Amino acid sequence: MPDAVIDLRSDTVTRPTPGMRAAMAAAEVGDDVFDEDPTVNRLQERVAALLGKEAALFVPSGTMSNQVCVRTHTQPGDELLCDVNCHIYNYEAGGPAVLSGVTCRCVEGDCGILDVSQLDGLVRPDNEHFVRTRLVCLENTHNRGGGKVYPLEKVQAISAWARRAGLATHLDGARLWNAVVATGVPAQEWARHFDSVSVCFSKGLGAPVGSALAGPRDFVAKARRTRKLFGGGMRQAGVLAAALYALDHHLDRLAEDHRHAQVIARAVADTPGLRLVPPEVETNLIWFTADPELGTAKEVAAALRQRGVLVHPAGPQKLRACTHLDVSAAQAERAAETIRQTVSRLAAA
Ligand code: TLP
C-alpha cells in the first residue's frame, strides 16, 4: 500500500518497526513445545509480572487466548455471561459454542460496559434442567463500545459479585494497555479482579503476532494443554520477540494514539451527517455513524478510500477508525481534513 494511504481500519495493520525486526532476528530460540524457548519464557515471565499473576502463556492470537481461557474455565454445557457486543461472542466465529460447548448469555451493556445490577439473578439454580453458569467475561477497553475504558469501580463490583456467586472471571484485555495509558491505573490493578486475563501485542503495541493469557499457575498449566489441543503450540516462537520489544518501547507511546484519535474525533463530531457513538472518544478507537443521506457505511468508506483514507465499515451505517503506531500526527491531521472534505462533498451531491 502506498505511504500516502492512511490506514485507519484497525490497529492490527501496523508493520514491525526496524527495531522490532532487529529484535526478532537476534532472538535466542528453542522449541517452545518442549518449554525450551528462552525468549518466549522471558516474555511469559514479563507478562505475568506486569499483570501480577503467577504465570502466563504465549499464544498466536487474541482469539485463541480468549477461547483457550473459556475452555479452561468451563465444561461442555456451561454458560458464560458477557456483554452483547463483546469480541468473544461476536467476532470469534462462535468459539464458545464450537470449541467449548458453552452458551453465551448476553447482557446489553452501556457501550459494552455492564453494571453489576444487570447480572444479579442471572446465575442459574443448581438443577438438572439448566446450563451451569460458570464464567463472566468482560472486555477492556471495549472495542464495539467505542474504545471505552471500563470504570474500575464497575470491574471491582462485578468481580466481587462473581466471586460471591462462585463464578470465574475472564478479562479480554486485547487493548488493556490503552486502558492503562488512558487512566494511569496499572495493568496489575486491572488484572487483579480477574482469574484470567488475555492481552495482545499485535494491536496498539504494534507487534506482528501474538497474545498472552495469564492467571494462577495451575490454570496456566491447564491452558497450555488446551493451547496444544487448539493447535497453538509453536516451536521456535522466540522469533516473535517483537512482542517483548513492543512492551519495552511501545507502551507509553499509546498516549500519542489517543491524542491522534482526538484529532479525528473532532473532525467527525464537526461534520454534519456524521455522529460519534459514543460521543466521547477515550482511547484509540473512533466509532461513528453516517446519516443514510450520505450513503451506506460502505459507500462512505469507499469515498474516503478514493482520497487515501481507509476506515472500516462495521455495520449498515456504522464505521470505525483506529489510530496506531503507523499513523503520525501529520497523518491524523490529514485524515481529519479528508473526512471533513469528503463527507461535505457527499452531503452536497
Ligand atoms: N479485533 C479485531 C477484529 O477481530 C474485530 C479488530 O480489528 O479490532 N479481543 C478484542 C477486544 C479484539 O478487538 C480483538 C481483535 C481480539 C480480541 C482478537 O484478537 P486477534 O485478532 O489477535 O485474534
Side-chain angles (χ1 to χ4, degrees):
M1 200 165 291
D3 275 352
V5 171
I6 304 169
D7 193 347
L8 306 175
R9 287 171 303 165
S10 181
D11 46 7
T12 59
V13 300
T14 55
R15 320 286 167 81
T17 62
M20 277 190 167
R21 286 177 185 268
M24 294 169 85
E28 210 188 330
V29 296
D31 189 327
D32 183 46
V33 173
F34 291 146
D35 218 353
E36 286 174 2
D37 189 297
T39 307
V40 170
N41 288 339
R42 258 197 310 132
L43 173 62
Q44 290 175 165
E45 281 158 23
R46 178 80 183 278
V47 171
L50 270 171
L51 297 175
K53 299 291 186 200
E54 283 176 5
L57 185 71
F58 187 51
V59 287
S61 68
T63 300
M64 188 182 286
S65 193
N66 282 331
Q67 295 303 330
V68 164
C69 287
V70 169
R71 171 85 178 217
T72 307
H73 282 299
T74 60
Q75 288 169 18
D78 285 353
E79 175 183 67
L80 67 78
L81 304 176
C82 62
D83 162 67
V84 69
N85 283 309
C86 75
H87 199 276
I88 287 177
Y89 176 64
N90 286 279
Y91 293 119
E92 300 189 5
V98 176
L99 300 171
S100 301
V102 164
T103 54
C104 294
R105 190 167 190 189
C106 296
V107 179
E108 187 156 356
D110 178 12
C111 297
I113 309 297
L114 299 179
D115 186 83
V116 67
S117 59
Q118 297 177 280
L119 300 176
D120 248 341
L122 294 192
V123 180
R124 311 265 183 184
D126 183 12
N127 177 298
E128 68 188 25
H129 293 82
F130 301 129
V131 291
R132 191 176 69 132
T133 314
R134 179 69 200 114
L135 176 66
V136 181
C137 297
L138 304 186
E139 186 175 312
N140 191 18
T141 65
H142 201 288
N143 183 353
R144 269 195 89 88
K148 263 211 174 299
V149 178
Y150 236 101
L152 188 58
E153 63 280 8
K154 290 204 184 277
V155 170
Q156 284 162 341
I158 292 172
S159 162
W161 171 85
R163 255 172 222 157
R164 280 196 305 276
L167 307 184
T169 49
H170 171 70
L171 173 64
D172 176 356
R175 296 187 179 81
L176 182 63
W177 316 117
N178 295 85
V180 167
V181 167
T183 57
V185 174
Q188 274 199 20
E189 173 56 26
W190 290 110
R192 96 186 160 80
H193 304 287
F194 297 89
D195 297 305
S196 61
V197 177
S198 169
V199 289
C200 292
F201 311 112
S202 59
K203 302 190 172 57
L205 295 191
V209 178
S211 290
L213 60 90
R217 202 172 298 288
D218 57 343
F219 177 88
V220 173
K222 221 174 137 197
R224 193 177 167 92
R225 197 180 171 82
T226 315
R227 180 185 71 173
K228 192 79 183 94
L229 173 70
F230 289 178
M234 297 183 285
R235 301 295 177 173
Q236 286 70 34
V239 290
L240 300 175
L244 266 173
Y245 182 92
L247 284 173
D248 286 335
H249 299 276
H250 294 165
L251 253 177
D252 294 341
R253 64 150 305 286
L254 289 173
E256 270 175 54
D257 295 346
H258 297 175
R259 279 197 296 277
H260 298 165
Q262 291 300 325
V263 171
I264 294 168
R266 261 196 307 280
V268 170
D270 292 351
T271 304
L274 299 183
R275 194 161 52 90
L276 286 173
V277 186
E280 286 90 34
V281 167
E282 296 180 7
T283 56
N284 70 322
L285 308 182
I286 305 117
W287 283 81
F288 56 104
T289 57
D291 282 354
E293 300 80 73
L294 299 173
T296 63
K298 275 192 182 141
E299 286 163 346
V300 172
L304 288 168
R305 177 181 275 268
Q306 276 190 345
R307 289 164 184 84
V309 173
L310 307 188
V311 297
H312 172 57
Q317 300 301 137
K318 207 169 216 190
L319 299 115
R320 185 185 75 171
C322 306
T323 53
H324 52 74
L325 184 60
D326 288 354
V327 177
S328 65
Q331 286 176 314
E333 295 287 352
R334 190 147 62 79
E337 200 40 45
T338 305
I339 289 170
R340 284 193 175 96
Q341 286 178 7
T342 308
V343 174
S344 304
R345 266 193 220 115
L346 286 176

